Short mmCIF file of all heavy atoms in Angstrom, two decimals:
data_model
loop_
_atom_site.label_atom_id
_atom_site.label_comp_id
_atom_site.label_asym_id
_atom_site.label_seq_id
_atom_site.Cartn_x
_atom_site.Cartn_y
_atom_site.Cartn_z
N ASN A 270 7.55 -3.38 -5.64
CA ASN A 270 6.82 -2.17 -5.97
C ASN A 270 7.83 -1.09 -6.30
O ASN A 270 8.54 -0.61 -5.42
CB ASN A 270 5.93 -1.74 -4.80
CG ASN A 270 5.00 -0.60 -5.15
OD1 ASN A 270 5.43 0.43 -5.67
ND2 ASN A 270 3.73 -0.75 -4.85
N LEU A 271 7.94 -0.74 -7.57
CA LEU A 271 8.94 0.23 -8.03
C LEU A 271 8.24 1.58 -8.26
O LEU A 271 7.48 1.74 -9.20
CB LEU A 271 9.58 -0.27 -9.33
CG LEU A 271 10.63 0.63 -9.98
CD1 LEU A 271 11.81 0.87 -9.04
CD2 LEU A 271 11.13 0.01 -11.29
N SER A 272 8.51 2.53 -7.38
CA SER A 272 7.88 3.85 -7.48
C SER A 272 8.61 4.71 -8.50
O SER A 272 9.84 4.84 -8.45
CB SER A 272 7.89 4.55 -6.11
OG SER A 272 7.05 3.89 -5.20
N ASP A 273 7.85 5.29 -9.41
CA ASP A 273 8.41 6.17 -10.43
C ASP A 273 8.05 7.61 -10.07
O ASP A 273 6.88 8.00 -10.13
CB ASP A 273 7.84 5.80 -11.80
CG ASP A 273 8.39 6.67 -12.92
OD1 ASP A 273 9.23 7.54 -12.63
OD2 ASP A 273 7.98 6.46 -14.07
N TYR A 274 9.06 8.39 -9.69
CA TYR A 274 8.82 9.77 -9.29
C TYR A 274 9.07 10.75 -10.42
O TYR A 274 9.13 11.96 -10.20
CB TYR A 274 9.67 10.12 -8.06
CG TYR A 274 9.22 9.37 -6.83
CD1 TYR A 274 9.94 8.28 -6.35
CD2 TYR A 274 8.06 9.72 -6.18
CE1 TYR A 274 9.52 7.57 -5.23
CE2 TYR A 274 7.61 9.02 -5.06
CZ TYR A 274 8.36 7.95 -4.59
OH TYR A 274 7.92 7.25 -3.50
N GLY A 275 9.23 10.25 -11.63
CA GLY A 275 9.23 11.05 -12.84
C GLY A 275 10.12 12.27 -12.80
O GLY A 275 11.33 12.18 -12.63
N GLU A 276 9.51 13.43 -12.93
CA GLU A 276 10.25 14.68 -13.06
C GLU A 276 11.03 15.05 -11.81
O GLU A 276 11.90 15.92 -11.85
CB GLU A 276 9.27 15.82 -13.38
CG GLU A 276 8.26 16.09 -12.28
CD GLU A 276 7.23 17.13 -12.68
OE1 GLU A 276 7.02 17.31 -13.89
OE2 GLU A 276 6.63 17.74 -11.78
N HIS A 277 10.72 14.41 -10.68
CA HIS A 277 11.45 14.72 -9.45
C HIS A 277 12.81 14.02 -9.40
O HIS A 277 13.59 14.26 -8.48
CB HIS A 277 10.61 14.34 -8.23
CG HIS A 277 9.32 15.10 -8.15
ND1 HIS A 277 9.27 16.44 -7.87
CD2 HIS A 277 8.04 14.72 -8.35
CE1 HIS A 277 8.01 16.85 -7.89
NE2 HIS A 277 7.25 15.82 -8.17
N LEU A 278 13.06 13.15 -10.36
CA LEU A 278 14.36 12.50 -10.46
C LEU A 278 15.18 13.19 -11.54
O LEU A 278 14.67 13.49 -12.62
CB LEU A 278 14.20 11.02 -10.81
CG LEU A 278 13.45 10.14 -9.82
CD1 LEU A 278 13.45 8.69 -10.30
CD2 LEU A 278 14.06 10.23 -8.42
N SER A 279 16.44 13.41 -11.26
CA SER A 279 17.32 14.01 -12.26
C SER A 279 18.74 13.52 -12.02
O SER A 279 19.05 12.94 -10.97
CB SER A 279 17.28 15.54 -12.17
OG SER A 279 17.69 15.98 -10.89
N GLY A 280 19.59 13.75 -12.99
CA GLY A 280 21.00 13.40 -12.85
C GLY A 280 21.21 11.94 -12.52
O GLY A 280 20.63 11.04 -13.15
N LYS A 281 22.02 11.68 -11.52
CA LYS A 281 22.40 10.31 -11.16
C LYS A 281 21.20 9.49 -10.71
O LYS A 281 21.10 8.29 -11.02
CB LYS A 281 23.46 10.33 -10.06
CG LYS A 281 23.98 8.95 -9.71
CD LYS A 281 25.08 9.01 -8.66
CE LYS A 281 25.57 7.60 -8.31
NZ LYS A 281 26.65 7.64 -7.29
N LEU A 282 20.28 10.11 -9.97
CA LEU A 282 19.12 9.36 -9.49
C LEU A 282 18.26 8.87 -10.66
O LEU A 282 17.79 7.73 -10.65
CB LEU A 282 18.28 10.22 -8.55
CG LEU A 282 18.91 10.59 -7.20
CD1 LEU A 282 17.93 11.39 -6.36
CD2 LEU A 282 19.36 9.35 -6.45
N LYS A 283 18.07 9.69 -11.66
CA LYS A 283 17.30 9.28 -12.83
C LYS A 283 18.03 8.18 -13.59
O LYS A 283 17.42 7.20 -14.03
CB LYS A 283 17.06 10.48 -13.74
CG LYS A 283 16.18 10.17 -14.94
CD LYS A 283 15.86 11.41 -15.73
CE LYS A 283 14.96 11.10 -16.92
NZ LYS A 283 13.66 10.55 -16.50
N ASP A 284 19.36 8.33 -13.72
CA ASP A 284 20.15 7.29 -14.40
C ASP A 284 20.06 5.98 -13.64
O ASP A 284 19.93 4.90 -14.24
CB ASP A 284 21.61 7.73 -14.51
CG ASP A 284 21.80 8.91 -15.47
OD1 ASP A 284 20.89 9.16 -16.27
OD2 ASP A 284 22.86 9.56 -15.38
N ASN A 285 20.14 6.05 -12.30
CA ASN A 285 20.04 4.84 -11.48
C ASN A 285 18.69 4.17 -11.66
O ASN A 285 18.59 2.93 -11.72
CB ASN A 285 20.25 5.18 -10.01
CG ASN A 285 21.70 5.46 -9.67
OD1 ASN A 285 22.59 5.31 -10.51
ND2 ASN A 285 21.95 5.88 -8.45
N PHE A 286 17.62 4.98 -11.71
CA PHE A 286 16.28 4.43 -11.88
C PHE A 286 16.17 3.66 -13.20
O PHE A 286 15.66 2.53 -13.23
CB PHE A 286 15.24 5.54 -11.82
CG PHE A 286 13.84 5.08 -12.10
CD1 PHE A 286 13.07 4.52 -11.10
CD2 PHE A 286 13.29 5.19 -13.37
CE1 PHE A 286 11.78 4.07 -11.36
CE2 PHE A 286 12.01 4.75 -13.64
CZ PHE A 286 11.25 4.19 -12.63
N GLU A 287 16.64 4.27 -14.26
CA GLU A 287 16.57 3.61 -15.57
C GLU A 287 17.41 2.34 -15.58
O GLU A 287 17.00 1.31 -16.15
CB GLU A 287 17.03 4.57 -16.67
CG GLU A 287 16.15 5.80 -16.83
CD GLU A 287 14.72 5.47 -17.21
OE1 GLU A 287 14.50 4.38 -17.78
OE2 GLU A 287 13.83 6.29 -16.93
N ARG A 288 18.59 2.39 -14.95
CA ARG A 288 19.44 1.21 -14.88
C ARG A 288 18.79 0.11 -14.04
O ARG A 288 18.83 -1.07 -14.41
CB ARG A 288 20.81 1.60 -14.28
CG ARG A 288 21.78 0.43 -14.11
CD ARG A 288 22.11 -0.23 -15.43
NE ARG A 288 23.09 -1.29 -15.28
CZ ARG A 288 23.22 -2.28 -16.14
NH1 ARG A 288 22.45 -2.35 -17.23
NH2 ARG A 288 24.14 -3.21 -15.95
N CYS A 289 18.20 0.50 -12.94
CA CYS A 289 17.52 -0.46 -12.07
C CYS A 289 16.40 -1.16 -12.82
O CYS A 289 16.28 -2.40 -12.76
CB CYS A 289 16.97 0.27 -10.83
SG CYS A 289 16.05 -0.80 -9.70
N ARG A 290 15.60 -0.41 -13.53
CA ARG A 290 14.49 -1.01 -14.27
C ARG A 290 15.00 -1.96 -15.35
O ARG A 290 14.43 -3.04 -15.56
CB ARG A 290 13.63 0.10 -14.88
CG ARG A 290 12.32 -0.40 -15.43
CD ARG A 290 11.43 0.72 -15.91
NE ARG A 290 10.20 0.19 -16.45
CZ ARG A 290 9.26 0.92 -17.05
NH1 ARG A 290 9.42 2.24 -17.14
NH2 ARG A 290 8.17 0.36 -17.53
N THR A 291 16.06 -1.57 -16.02
CA THR A 291 16.64 -2.45 -17.05
C THR A 291 17.13 -3.75 -16.43
O THR A 291 16.90 -4.85 -16.98
CB THR A 291 17.82 -1.73 -17.74
OG1 THR A 291 17.33 -0.57 -18.41
CG2 THR A 291 18.48 -2.65 -18.76
N LEU A 292 17.80 -3.66 -15.29
CA LEU A 292 18.30 -4.87 -14.61
C LEU A 292 17.14 -5.75 -14.15
O LEU A 292 17.23 -6.99 -14.23
CB LEU A 292 19.18 -4.48 -13.43
CG LEU A 292 20.54 -3.89 -13.79
CD1 LEU A 292 21.23 -3.32 -12.55
CD2 LEU A 292 21.44 -4.94 -14.44
N PHE A 293 16.07 -5.16 -13.65
CA PHE A 293 14.91 -5.95 -13.26
C PHE A 293 14.36 -6.72 -14.46
O PHE A 293 14.01 -7.91 -14.34
CB PHE A 293 13.82 -5.03 -12.68
CG PHE A 293 14.05 -4.59 -11.26
CD1 PHE A 293 13.14 -3.76 -10.62
CD2 PHE A 293 15.16 -5.00 -10.55
CE1 PHE A 293 13.34 -3.35 -9.32
CE2 PHE A 293 15.38 -4.60 -9.24
CZ PHE A 293 14.45 -3.77 -8.62
N ASP A 294 14.28 -6.06 -15.60
CA ASP A 294 13.79 -6.73 -16.81
C ASP A 294 14.72 -7.86 -17.23
O ASP A 294 14.28 -8.97 -17.57
CB ASP A 294 13.64 -5.72 -17.95
CG ASP A 294 12.49 -4.75 -17.76
OD1 ASP A 294 11.52 -5.13 -17.07
OD2 ASP A 294 12.57 -3.62 -18.27
#
Side-chain angles (χ1 to χ4, degrees):
N270 188 308
L271 179 60
S272 293
D273 181 1
Y274 292 104
E276 64 185 23
H277 298 290
L278 299 182
S279 60
K281 184 177 180 180
L282 292 183
K283 184 174 181 62
D284 292 343
N285 286 354
F286 175 83
E287 297 299 336
R288 178 60 177 157
C289 178
R290 191 175 179 185
T291 297
L292 289 170
F293 282 180
D294 289 333

